[in-house]
């Protein structure tokens, strides 16, 4: 696969200056964002409003 321009540039800097810029990145060994799953009530409400948006025309 081809490499992106940014990766080529990082590799070039590492080769020429011996400086690894990837080590400067702020990284943590765990995920910093919260994973929130919907509660049962929220999922039911979403399903209700989702199907309610469809305009079903009933012929009488």
């Amino acid at each position: 696969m081809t490499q992106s321009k940014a990766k080529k540039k990082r590799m070039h800097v590492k080769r020429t200056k011996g400086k690894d810029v990837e080590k400067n990145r702020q990284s943590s060994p765990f995920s910093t964002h919260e994973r929130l799953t919907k509660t049962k009530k929220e999922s039911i409400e979403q399903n209700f409003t989702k199907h309610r948006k469809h305009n079903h025309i009933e012929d009488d």
Side-chain angles (χ1 to χ4, degrees):
M1 286 182 75
T2 61
Q3 295 174 345
S4 66
K5 289 183 180 181
K7 187 169 184 177
K8 287 180 185 177
K9 193 173 183 180
R10 286 194 305 266
M11 289 172 60
H12 176 74
V13 169
K14 189 175 182 180
R15 267 196 323 267
T16 56
K17 298 181 181 177
K19 181 180 178 184
D20 191 7
V21 292
E22 291 180 344
K23 290 182 180 178
N24 295 340
R25 293 183 182 163
Q26 297 290 331
S27 63
S28 60
F30 55 90
S31 179
T32 55
H33 73 281
E34 293 182 23
R35 291 179 174 85
L36 297 175
T37 57
K38 293 184 180 179
T39 61
K40 184 175 181 180
K41 184 178 178 183
E42 288 174 336
S43 61
I44 290 172
E45 283 179 5
Q46 182 196 16
N47 229 0
F48 178 71
T49 56
K50 177 180 176 182
H51 294 294
R52 204 170 140 195
K53 287 180 184 177
H54 297 290
N55 293 329
H56 298 290
I57 302 173
E58 295 181 11
D59 293 327
D60 289 317

Tab-separated table of all heavy atoms in Angstrom:
chain	number	residue	atom	x	y	z
A	1	MET	N	0.833	-1.188	0.000
A	1	MET	CA	0.000	0.000	0.000
A	1	MET	C	0.871	1.243	0.000
A	1	MET	O	2.007	1.218	0.462
A	1	MET	CB	-0.877	0.024	1.238
A	1	MET	CG	-2.026	-0.954	1.188
A	1	MET	SD	-3.061	-0.848	2.643
A	1	MET	CE	-3.943	0.646	2.302
A	2	THR	N	0.288	2.291	-0.474
A	2	THR	CA	1.035	3.546	-0.482
A	2	THR	C	0.983	4.192	0.887
A	2	THR	O	0.102	3.916	1.696
A	2	THR	CB	0.444	4.516	-1.519
A	2	THR	OG1	-0.913	4.788	-1.162
A	2	THR	CG2	0.491	3.921	-2.906
A	3	GLN	N	1.950	5.050	1.131
A	3	GLN	CA	2.006	5.742	2.422
A	3	GLN	C	1.556	7.177	2.233
A	3	GLN	O	1.766	7.779	1.184
A	3	GLN	CB	3.431	5.697	2.957
A	3	GLN	CG	3.899	4.297	3.287
A	3	GLN	CD	5.358	4.263	3.669
A	3	GLN	OE1	6.079	5.210	3.439
A	3	GLN	NE2	5.778	3.153	4.234
A	4	SER	N	0.958	7.718	3.261
A	4	SER	CA	0.481	9.093	3.193
A	4	SER	C	1.671	10.055	3.191
A	4	SER	O	2.788	9.700	3.583
A	4	SER	CB	-0.428	9.402	4.380
A	4	SER	OG	0.315	9.363	5.566
A	5	LYS	N	1.401	11.269	2.759
A	5	LYS	CA	2.456	12.281	2.724
A	5	LYS	C	2.967	12.582	4.132
A	5	LYS	O	4.165	12.800	4.328
A	5	LYS	CB	1.932	13.559	2.084
A	5	LYS	CG	1.703	13.440	0.603
A	5	LYS	CD	1.243	14.753	0.012
A	5	LYS	CE	1.009	14.622	-1.469
A	5	LYS	NZ	0.583	15.902	-2.066
A	6	ALA	N	2.052	12.577	5.096
A	6	ALA	CA	2.443	12.868	6.477
A	6	ALA	C	3.388	11.787	7.009
A	6	ALA	O	4.375	12.095	7.690
A	6	ALA	CB	1.203	12.967	7.352
A	7	LYS	N	3.082	10.534	6.698
A	7	LYS	CA	3.936	9.440	7.180
A	7	LYS	C	5.298	9.501	6.498
A	7	LYS	O	6.337	9.271	7.134
A	7	LYS	CB	3.279	8.089	6.921
A	7	LYS	CG	4.043	6.946	7.538
A	7	LYS	CD	3.267	5.665	7.517
A	7	LYS	CE	4.029	4.574	8.241
A	7	LYS	NZ	3.290	3.324	8.306
A	8	LYS	N	5.323	9.812	5.203
A	8	LYS	CA	6.599	9.947	4.492
A	8	LYS	C	7.438	11.055	5.127
A	8	LYS	O	8.652	10.921	5.299
A	8	LYS	CB	6.356	10.257	3.024
A	8	LYS	CG	5.854	9.085	2.224
A	8	LYS	CD	5.646	9.505	0.786
A	8	LYS	CE	5.032	8.404	-0.038
A	8	LYS	NZ	4.767	8.824	-1.418
A	9	LYS	N	6.765	12.154	5.481
A	9	LYS	CA	7.466	13.278	6.083
A	9	LYS	C	8.031	12.894	7.454
A	9	LYS	O	9.171	13.232	7.785
A	9	LYS	CB	6.503	14.456	6.226
A	9	LYS	CG	7.148	15.763	6.537
A	9	LYS	CD	6.144	16.887	6.478
A	9	LYS	CE	6.804	18.215	6.720
A	9	LYS	NZ	5.845	19.316	6.658
A	10	ARG	N	7.243	12.166	8.270
A	10	ARG	CA	7.713	11.709	9.577
A	10	ARG	C	8.910	10.782	9.427
A	10	ARG	O	9.895	10.878	10.163
A	10	ARG	CB	6.590	10.979	10.321
A	10	ARG	CG	5.516	11.882	10.856
A	10	ARG	CD	4.638	11.161	11.841
A	10	ARG	NE	4.038	9.950	11.324
A	10	ARG	CZ	2.830	9.864	10.767
A	10	ARG	NH1	2.093	10.953	10.638
A	10	ARG	NH2	2.357	8.709	10.334
A	11	MET	N	8.845	9.860	8.459
A	11	MET	CA	9.953	8.928	8.244
A	11	MET	C	11.208	9.667	7.796
A	11	MET	O	12.322	9.328	8.203
A	11	MET	CB	9.548	7.873	7.219
A	11	MET	CG	8.515	6.894	7.754
A	11	MET	SD	7.850	5.769	6.529
A	11	MET	CE	9.310	4.929	5.976
A	12	HIS	N	11.026	10.692	6.973
A	12	HIS	CA	12.164	11.476	6.497
A	12	HIS	C	12.842	12.207	7.655
A	12	HIS	O	14.086	12.211	7.767
A	12	HIS	CB	11.696	12.474	5.439
A	12	HIS	CG	12.784	13.381	4.954
A	12	HIS	ND1	13.781	12.955	4.099
A	12	HIS	CD2	13.041	14.679	5.202
A	12	HIS	CE1	14.599	13.959	3.851
A	12	HIS	NE2	14.165	15.028	4.515
A	13	VAL	N	12.036	12.812	8.523
A	13	VAL	CA	12.590	13.524	9.679
A	13	VAL	C	13.314	12.541	10.593
A	13	VAL	O	14.393	12.840	11.127
A	13	VAL	CB	11.473	14.270	10.446
A	13	VAL	CG1	11.972	14.795	11.779
A	13	VAL	CG2	10.929	15.408	9.610
A	14	LYS	N	12.761	11.362	10.761
A	14	LYS	CA	13.384	10.346	11.626
A	14	LYS	C	14.720	9.900	11.042
A	14	LYS	O	15.700	9.711	11.765
A	14	LYS	CB	12.437	9.157	11.773
A	14	LYS	CG	12.872	8.155	12.810
A	14	LYS	CD	11.818	7.082	12.984
A	14	LYS	CE	12.202	6.100	14.043
A	14	LYS	NZ	11.200	5.062	14.236
A	15	ARG	N	14.779	9.729	9.721
A	15	ARG	CA	16.020	9.309	9.059
A	15	ARG	C	17.088	10.380	9.130
A	15	ARG	O	18.249	10.113	9.448
A	15	ARG	CB	15.744	8.993	7.584
A	15	ARG	CG	15.440	7.588	7.264
A	15	ARG	CD	15.555	7.297	5.781
A	15	ARG	NE	15.110	8.373	4.921
A	15	ARG	CZ	13.874	8.506	4.421
A	15	ARG	NH1	12.959	7.631	4.717
A	15	ARG	NH2	13.561	9.503	3.622
A	16	THR	N	16.708	11.613	8.816
A	16	THR	CA	17.713	12.668	8.697
A	16	THR	C	18.135	13.243	10.048
A	16	THR	O	19.320	13.435	10.303
A	16	THR	CB	17.189	13.811	7.807
A	16	THR	OG1	15.958	14.289	8.325
A	16	THR	CG2	17.018	13.347	6.380
A	17	LYS	N	17.169	13.527	10.908
A	17	LYS	CA	17.495	14.175	12.181
A	17	LYS	C	17.526	13.213	13.351
A	17	LYS	O	17.962	13.584	14.439
A	17	LYS	CB	16.485	15.289	12.469
A	17	LYS	CG	16.512	16.385	11.421
A	17	LYS	CD	15.525	17.472	11.730
A	17	LYS	CE	15.549	18.536	10.646
A	17	LYS	NZ	14.547	19.573	10.890
A	18	GLY	N	17.054	12.005	13.149
A	18	GLY	CA	17.028	11.034	14.225
A	18	GLY	C	15.992	11.363	15.289
A	18	GLY	O	16.032	10.857	16.396
A	19	LYS	N	15.038	12.212	14.943
A	19	LYS	CA	14.029	12.660	15.895
A	19	LYS	C	12.713	11.941	15.593
A	19	LYS	O	12.190	12.028	14.488
A	19	LYS	CB	13.848	14.169	15.769
A	19	LYS	CG	12.857	14.770	16.708
A	19	LYS	CD	12.778	16.265	16.483
A	19	LYS	CE	11.741	16.893	17.382
A	19	LYS	NZ	11.614	18.322	17.096
A	20	ASP	N	12.211	11.208	16.573
A	20	ASP	CA	10.958	10.490	16.379
A	20	ASP	C	9.819	11.362	16.891
A	20	ASP	O	9.591	11.471	18.101
A	20	ASP	CB	10.986	9.152	17.113
A	20	ASP	CG	9.832	8.251	16.726
A	20	ASP	OD1	9.087	8.613	15.789
A	20	ASP	OD2	9.683	7.196	17.360
A	21	VAL	N	9.096	11.986	15.995
A	21	VAL	CA	8.033	12.905	16.395
A	21	VAL	C	6.798	12.170	16.915
A	21	VAL	O	5.956	12.765	17.581
A	21	VAL	CB	7.629	13.834	15.227
A	21	VAL	CG1	8.746	14.787	14.892
A	21	VAL	CG2	7.228	13.044	14.013
A	22	GLU	N	6.694	10.883	16.651
A	22	GLU	CA	5.539	10.127	17.133
A	22	GLU	C	5.562	9.980	18.650
A	22	GLU	O	4.532	9.768	19.275
A	22	GLU	CB	5.472	8.757	16.468
A	22	GLU	CG	5.126	8.833	14.992
A	22	GLU	CD	5.068	7.474	14.331
A	22	GLU	OE1	5.573	6.497	14.921
A	22	GLU	OE2	4.516	7.392	13.229
A	23	LYS	N	6.723	10.103	19.259
A	23	LYS	CA	6.827	9.990	20.718
A	23	LYS	C	6.262	11.221	21.422
A	23	LYS	O	5.978	11.179	22.614
A	23	LYS	CB	8.289	9.789	21.130
A	23	LYS	CG	8.814	8.433	20.749
A	23	LYS	CD	10.228	8.252	21.215
A	23	LYS	CE	10.746	6.878	20.820
A	23	LYS	NZ	12.143	6.683	21.210
A	24	ASN	N	6.119	12.330	20.692
A	24	ASN	CA	5.593	13.560	21.281
A	24	ASN	C	4.075	13.531	21.423
A	24	ASN	O	3.499	14.404	22.056
A	24	ASN	CB	5.976	14.770	20.422
A	24	ASN	CG	7.469	14.985	20.411
A	24	ASN	OD1	8.171	14.505	21.289
A	24	ASN	ND2	7.952	15.695	19.409
A	25	ARG	N	3.445	12.568	20.834
A	25	ARG	CA	1.981	12.503	20.878
A	25	ARG	C	1.504	12.208	22.291
A	25	ARG	O	2.112	11.431	23.019
A	25	ARG	CB	1.462	11.416	19.943
A	25	ARG	CG	1.701	11.730	18.497
A	25	ARG	CD	1.102	10.650	17.653
A	25	ARG	NE	1.362	10.916	16.243
A	25	ARG	CZ	1.258	10.022	15.301
A	25	ARG	NH1	0.918	8.791	15.596
A	25	ARG	NH2	1.487	10.332	14.045
A	26	GLN	N	0.392	12.818	22.636
A	26	GLN	CA	-0.222	12.570	23.936
A	26	GLN	C	-1.058	11.304	23.817
A	26	GLN	O	-2.134	11.307	23.251
A	26	GLN	CB	-1.114	13.742	24.344
A	26	GLN	CG	-0.372	15.038	24.529
A	26	GLN	CD	0.506	15.009	25.757
A	26	GLN	OE1	0.199	14.326	26.716
A	26	GLN	NE2	1.587	15.745	25.722
A	27	SER	N	-0.573	10.229	24.335
A	27	SER	CA	-1.333	8.995	24.264
A	27	SER	C	-1.395	8.356	25.639
A	27	SER	O	-0.442	8.413	26.412
A	27	SER	CB	-0.707	8.031	23.263
A	27	SER	OG	0.586	7.681	23.682
A	28	SER	N	-2.515	7.763	25.928
A	28	SER	CA	-2.673	7.073	27.196
A	28	SER	C	-2.919	5.597	26.906
A	28	SER	O	-3.418	5.246	25.836
A	28	SER	CB	-3.840	7.668	27.977
A	28	SER	OG	-5.030	7.551	27.240
A	29	PRO	N	-2.591	4.741	27.839
A	29	PRO	CA	-2.752	3.305	27.597
A	29	PRO	C	-4.208	2.847	27.603
A	29	PRO	O	-4.494	1.702	27.329
A	29	PRO	CB	-1.978	2.666	28.755
A	29	PRO	CG	-1.996	3.697	29.820
A	29	PRO	CD	-1.996	5.022	29.116
A	30	PHE	N	-5.130	3.759	27.911
A	30	PHE	CA	-6.543	3.402	27.939
A	30	PHE	C	-7.337	4.455	27.180
A	30	PHE	O	-6.850	5.545	26.895
A	30	PHE	CB	-7.044	3.292	29.385
A	30	PHE	CG	-6.788	4.536	30.191
A	30	PHE	CD1	-7.715	5.551	30.232
A	30	PHE	CD2	-5.619	4.682	30.897
A	30	PHE	CE1	-7.478	6.697	30.954
A	30	PHE	CE2	-5.365	5.816	31.633
A	30	PHE	CZ	-6.302	6.841	31.661
A	31	SER	N	-8.538	4.136	26.856
A	31	SER	CA	-9.395	5.044	26.118
A	31	SER	C	-9.843	6.187	27.025
A	31	SER	O	-10.236	5.961	28.171
A	31	SER	CB	-10.607	4.289	25.590
A	31	SER	OG	-11.455	5.163	24.907
A	32	THR	N	-9.806	7.410	26.517
A	32	THR	CA	-10.153	8.558	27.340
A	32	THR	C	-11.593	9.010	27.148
A	32	THR	O	-12.067	9.852	27.893
A	32	THR	CB	-9.232	9.743	27.012
A	32	THR	OG1	-9.307	10.009	25.617
A	32	THR	CG2	-7.801	9.432	27.410
A	33	HIS	N	-12.292	8.488	26.158
A	33	HIS	CA	-13.688	8.886	25.982
A	33	HIS	C	-14.611	7.866	26.626
A	33	HIS	O	-14.267	6.697	26.756
A	33	HIS	CB	-14.029	9.074	24.507
A	33	HIS	CG	-14.130	7.812	23.739
A	33	HIS	ND1	-13.048	7.113	23.284
A	33	HIS	CD2	-15.224	7.089	23.365
A	33	HIS	CE1	-13.456	6.031	22.656
A	33	HIS	NE2	-14.771	5.982	22.691
A	34	GLU	N	-15.757	8.344	27.046
A	34	GLU	CA	-16.706	7.469	27.726
A	34	GLU	C	-17.587	6.778	26.702
A	34	GLU	O	-18.080	7.400	25.784
A	34	GLU	CB	-17.593	8.276	28.672
A	34	GLU	CG	-16.851	8.870	29.841
A	34	GLU	CD	-17.781	9.608	30.779
A	34	GLU	OE1	-18.984	9.303	30.775
A	34	GLU	OE2	-17.301	10.495	31.483
A	35	ARG	N	-17.763	5.507	26.889
A	35	ARG	CA	-18.676	4.774	26.029
A	35	ARG	C	-20.001	4.673	26.762
A	35	ARG	O	-20.086	4.077	27.837
A	35	ARG	CB	-18.130	3.386	25.722
A	35	ARG	CG	-16.915	3.424	24.835
A	35	ARG	CD	-16.426	1.999	24.604
A	35	ARG	NE	-15.360	1.968	23.648
A	35	ARG	CZ	-14.088	2.169	23.946
A	35	ARG	NH1	-13.733	2.398	25.180
A	35	ARG	NH2	-13.158	2.124	23.011
A	36	LEU	N	-21.036	5.265	26.206
A	36	LEU	CA	-22.335	5.248	26.843
A	36	LEU	C	-23.308	4.462	25.988
A	36	LEU	O	-23.509	4.776	24.814
A	36	LEU	CB	-22.864	6.668	27.021
A	36	LEU	CG	-22.053	7.577	27.931
A	36	LEU	CD1	-22.616	8.986	27.907
A	36	LEU	CD2	-22.089	7.052	29.351
A	37	THR	N	-23.908	3.467	26.563
A	37	THR	CA	-24.950	2.751	25.845
A	37	THR	C	-26.288	3.277	26.331
A	37	THR	O	-26.432	3.729	27.469
A	37	THR	CB	-24.877	1.239	26.111
A	37	THR	OG1	-24.960	1.026	27.517
A	37	THR	CG2	-23.584	0.659	25.580
A	38	LYS	N	-27.253	3.227	25.460
A	38	LYS	CA	-28.562	3.739	25.814
A	38	LYS	C	-29.232	2.812	26.819
A	38	LYS	O	-29.057	1.600	26.776
A	38	LYS	CB	-29.435	3.853	24.571
A	38	LYS	CG	-28.954	4.902	23.617
A	38	LYS	CD	-29.903	5.030	22.465
A	38	LYS	CE	-29.399	6.099	21.520
A	38	LYS	NZ	-30.252	6.256	20.365
A	39	THR	N	-30.018	3.420	27.676
A	39	THR	CA	-30.803	2.620	28.600
A	39	THR	C	-31.963	2.007	27.831
A	39	THR	O	-32.248	2.381	26.683
A	39	THR	CB	-31.354	3.478	29.751
A	39	THR	OG1	-32.209	4.480	29.196
A	39	THR	CG2	-30.235	4.122	30.537
A	40	LYS	N	-32.635	1.087	28.450
A	40	LYS	CA	-33.766	0.438	27.798
A	40	LYS	C	-34.837	1.475	27.461
A	40	LYS	O	-35.411	1.470	26.370
A	40	LYS	CB	-34.345	-0.649	28.710
A	40	LYS	CG	-35.455	-1.440	28.064
A	40	LYS	CD	-35.908	-2.571	28.966
A	40	LYS	CE	-37.011	-3.369	28.301
A	40	LYS	NZ	-37.469	-4.468	29.149
A	41	LYS	N	-35.083	2.382	28.384
A	41	LYS	CA	-36.096	3.422	28.175
A	41	LYS	C	-35.719	4.315	26.991
A	41	LYS	O	-36.563	4.652	26.156
A	41	LYS	CB	-36.236	4.253	29.449
A	41	LYS	CG	-37.326	5.290	29.374
A	41	LYS	CD	-37.427	6.044	30.687
A	41	LYS	CE	-38.486	7.121	30.588
A	41	LYS	NZ	-38.559	7.930	31.815
A	42	GLU	N	-34.461	4.713	26.908
A	42	GLU	CA	-34.010	5.570	25.802
A	42	GLU	C	-34.149	4.877	24.464
A	42	GLU	O	-34.541	5.478	23.468
A	42	GLU	CB	-32.560	5.987	26.024
A	42	GLU	CG	-32.373	6.998	27.132
A	42	GLU	CD	-30.909	7.275	27.405
A	42	GLU	OE1	-30.056	6.402	27.100
A	42	GLU	OE2	-30.609	8.349	27.944
A	43	SER	N	-33.799	3.594	24.419
A	43	SER	CA	-33.896	2.880	23.145
A	43	SER	C	-35.353	2.707	22.717
A	43	SER	O	-35.677	2.793	21.533
A	43	SER	CB	-33.199	1.527	23.229
A	43	SER	OG	-33.801	0.722	24.206
A	44	ILE	N	-36.253	2.484	23.677
A	44	ILE	CA	-37.677	2.377	23.341
A	44	ILE	C	-38.206	3.707	22.839
A	44	ILE	O	-38.944	3.764	21.849
A	44	ILE	CB	-38.474	1.882	24.575
A	44	ILE	CG1	-38.138	0.419	24.851
A	44	ILE	CG2	-39.975	2.051	24.355
A	44	ILE	CD1	-38.712	-0.113	26.143
A	45	GLU	N	-37.807	4.803	23.508
A	45	GLU	CA	-38.251	6.131	23.081
A	45	GLU	C	-37.743	6.453	21.683
A	45	GLU	O	-38.467	7.018	20.860
A	45	GLU	CB	-37.766	7.195	24.065
A	45	GLU	CG	-38.547	7.254	25.344
A	45	GLU	CD	-38.008	8.303	26.293
A	45	GLU	OE1	-37.079	9.050	25.907
A	45	GLU	OE2	-38.514	8.368	27.423
A	46	GLN	N	-36.513	6.103	21.389
A	46	GLN	CA	-35.959	6.376	20.070
A	46	GLN	C	-36.719	5.597	19.007
A	46	GLN	O	-37.047	6.122	17.955
A	46	GLN	CB	-34.481	6.009	20.004
A	46	GLN	CG	-33.889	6.349	18.639
A	46	GLN	CD	-32.561	5.663	18.392
A	46	GLN	OE1	-32.202	4.729	19.081
A	46	GLN	NE2	-31.855	6.119	17.385
A	47	ASN	N	-36.989	4.341	19.289
A	47	ASN	CA	-37.726	3.516	18.348
A	47	ASN	C	-39.121	4.075	18.115
A	47	ASN	O	-39.618	4.099	16.998
A	47	ASN	CB	-37.813	2.085	18.876
A	47	ASN	CG	-37.420	1.080	17.845
A	47	ASN	OD1	-37.086	1.424	16.724
A	47	ASN	ND2	-37.468	-0.171	18.223
A	48	PHE	N	-39.770	4.544	19.188
A	48	PHE	CA	-41.118	5.089	19.088
A	48	PHE	C	-41.130	6.331	18.211
A	48	PHE	O	-41.941	6.455	17.302
A	48	PHE	CB	-41.652	5.405	20.489
A	48	PHE	CG	-43.017	6.009	20.481
A	48	PHE	CD1	-44.128	5.247	20.152
A	48	PHE	CD2	-43.206	7.340	20.799
A	48	PHE	CE1	-45.389	5.795	20.147
A	48	PHE	CE2	-44.464	7.900	20.793
A	48	PHE	CZ	-45.565	7.122	20.467
A	49	THR	N	-40.209	7.262	18.477
A	49	THR	CA	-40.200	8.507	17.704
A	49	THR	C	-39.718	8.256	16.279
A	49	THR	O	-40.149	8.933	15.355
A	49	THR	CB	-39.303	9.561	18.368
A	49	THR	OG1	-37.997	9.017	18.528
A	49	THR	CG2	-39.850	9.971	19.712
A	50	LYS	N	-38.867	7.286	16.100
A	50	LYS	CA	-38.350	6.969	14.769
A	50	LYS	C	-39.489	6.514	13.858
A	50	LYS	O	-39.612	6.964	12.726
A	50	LYS	CB	-37.296	5.873	14.893
A	50	LYS	CG	-36.721	5.395	13.596
A	50	LYS	CD	-35.696	4.316	13.893
A	50	LYS	CE	-35.156	3.719	12.630
A	50	LYS	NZ	-34.200	2.640	12.908
A	51	HIS	N	-40.324	5.617	14.360
A	51	HIS	CA	-41.406	5.105	13.540
A	51	HIS	C	-42.583	6.063	13.491
A	51	HIS	O	-43.420	5.981	12.611
A	51	HIS	CB	-41.864	3.731	14.052
A	51	HIS	CG	-40.797	2.689	13.880
A	51	HIS	ND1	-40.366	2.273	12.651
A	51	HIS	CD2	-40.052	2.018	14.788
A	51	HIS	CE1	-39.400	1.367	12.799
A	51	HIS	NE2	-39.189	1.201	14.089
A	52	ARG	N	-42.627	6.962	14.444
A	52	ARG	CA	-43.708	7.934	14.463
A	52	ARG	C	-43.511	8.999	13.388
A	52	ARG	O	-44.471	9.636	12.956
A	52	ARG	CB	-43.731	8.586	15.845
A	52	ARG	CG	-45.064	9.153	16.206
A	52	ARG	CD	-45.027	9.540	17.660
A	52	ARG	NE	-45.733	10.790	17.792
A	52	ARG	CZ	-45.674	11.574	18.827
A	52	ARG	NH1	-44.924	11.254	19.838
A	52	ARG	NH2	-46.361	12.676	18.873
A	53	LYS	N	-42.292	9.212	12.957
A	53	LYS	CA	-42.004	10.243	11.969
A	53	LYS	C	-42.569	9.899	10.594
A	53	LYS	O	-42.797	10.771	9.777
A	53	LYS	CB	-40.493	10.459	11.856
A	53	LYS	CG	-39.913	11.171	13.044
A	53	LYS	CD	-38.424	11.358	12.890
A	53	LYS	CE	-37.843	11.992	14.124
A	53	LYS	NZ	-36.396	12.115	14.029
A	54	HIS	N	-42.788	8.614	10.336
A	54	HIS	CA	-43.336	8.215	9.054
A	54	HIS	C	-44.820	8.553	9.014
A	54	HIS	O	-45.568	8.220	9.937
A	54	HIS	CB	-43.155	6.719	8.820
A	54	HIS	CG	-41.730	6.302	8.754
A	54	HIS	ND1	-40.896	6.627	7.708
A	54	HIS	CD2	-40.952	5.628	9.645
A	54	HIS	CE1	-39.692	6.151	7.935
A	54	HIS	NE2	-39.703	5.541	9.106
A	55	ASN	N	-45.246	9.205	7.974
A	55	ASN	CA	-46.647	9.579	7.863
A	55	ASN	C	-47.405	8.459	7.181
A	55	ASN	O	-47.342	8.293	5.958
A	55	ASN	CB	-46.797	10.877	7.069
A	55	ASN	CG	-46.204	12.054	7.826
A	55	ASN	OD1	-46.222	12.065	9.046
A	55	ASN	ND2	-45.702	13.037	7.102
A	56	HIS	N	-48.105	7.682	7.967
A	56	HIS	CA	-48.904	6.605	7.422
A	56	HIS	C	-50.317	7.134	7.195
A	56	HIS	O	-51.006	7.515	8.149
A	56	HIS	CB	-48.954	5.395	8.383
A	56	HIS	CG	-47.597	4.802	8.612
A	56	HIS	ND1	-46.917	4.116	7.643
A	56	HIS	CD2	-46.782	4.810	9.692
A	56	HIS	CE1	-45.767	3.711	8.112
A	56	HIS	NE2	-45.643	4.126	9.366
A	57	ILE	N	-50.735	7.146	5.971
A	57	ILE	CA	-52.075	7.629	5.650
A	57	ILE	C	-53.019	6.439	5.613
A	57	ILE	O	-52.810	5.480	4.876
A	57	ILE	CB	-52.082	8.372	4.303
A	57	ILE	CG1	-51.096	9.551	4.352
A	57	ILE	CG2	-53.478	8.836	3.957
A	57	ILE	CD1	-50.909	10.226	3.036
A	58	GLU	N	-54.047	6.514	6.443
A	58	GLU	CA	-55.032	5.443	6.493
A	58	GLU	C	-56.256	5.851	5.683
A	58	GLU	O	-56.767	6.957	5.806
A	58	GLU	CB	-55.437	5.146	7.930
A	58	GLU	CG	-54.304	4.608	8.762
A	58	GLU	CD	-54.747	4.294	10.171
A	58	GLU	OE1	-55.953	4.290	10.431
A	58	GLU	OE2	-53.867	4.082	11.018
A	59	ASP	N	-56.703	4.955	4.816
A	59	ASP	CA	-57.915	5.225	4.030
A	59	ASP	C	-59.113	4.677	4.784
A	59	ASP	O	-59.167	3.512	5.134
A	59	ASP	CB	-57.815	4.551	2.655
A	59	ASP	CG	-56.716	5.187	1.812
A	59	ASP	OD1	-56.512	6.405	1.983
A	59	ASP	OD2	-56.086	4.476	1.025
A	60	ASP	N	-60.103	5.538	5.025
A	60	ASP	CA	-61.313	5.080	5.717
A	60	ASP	C	-62.452	4.920	4.736
A	60	ASP	O	-62.680	5.589	3.822
A	60	ASP	CB	-61.733	6.081	6.813
A	60	ASP	CG	-60.727	6.019	7.971
A	60	ASP	OD1	-60.350	4.905	8.340
A	60	ASP	OD2	-60.371	7.105	8.476
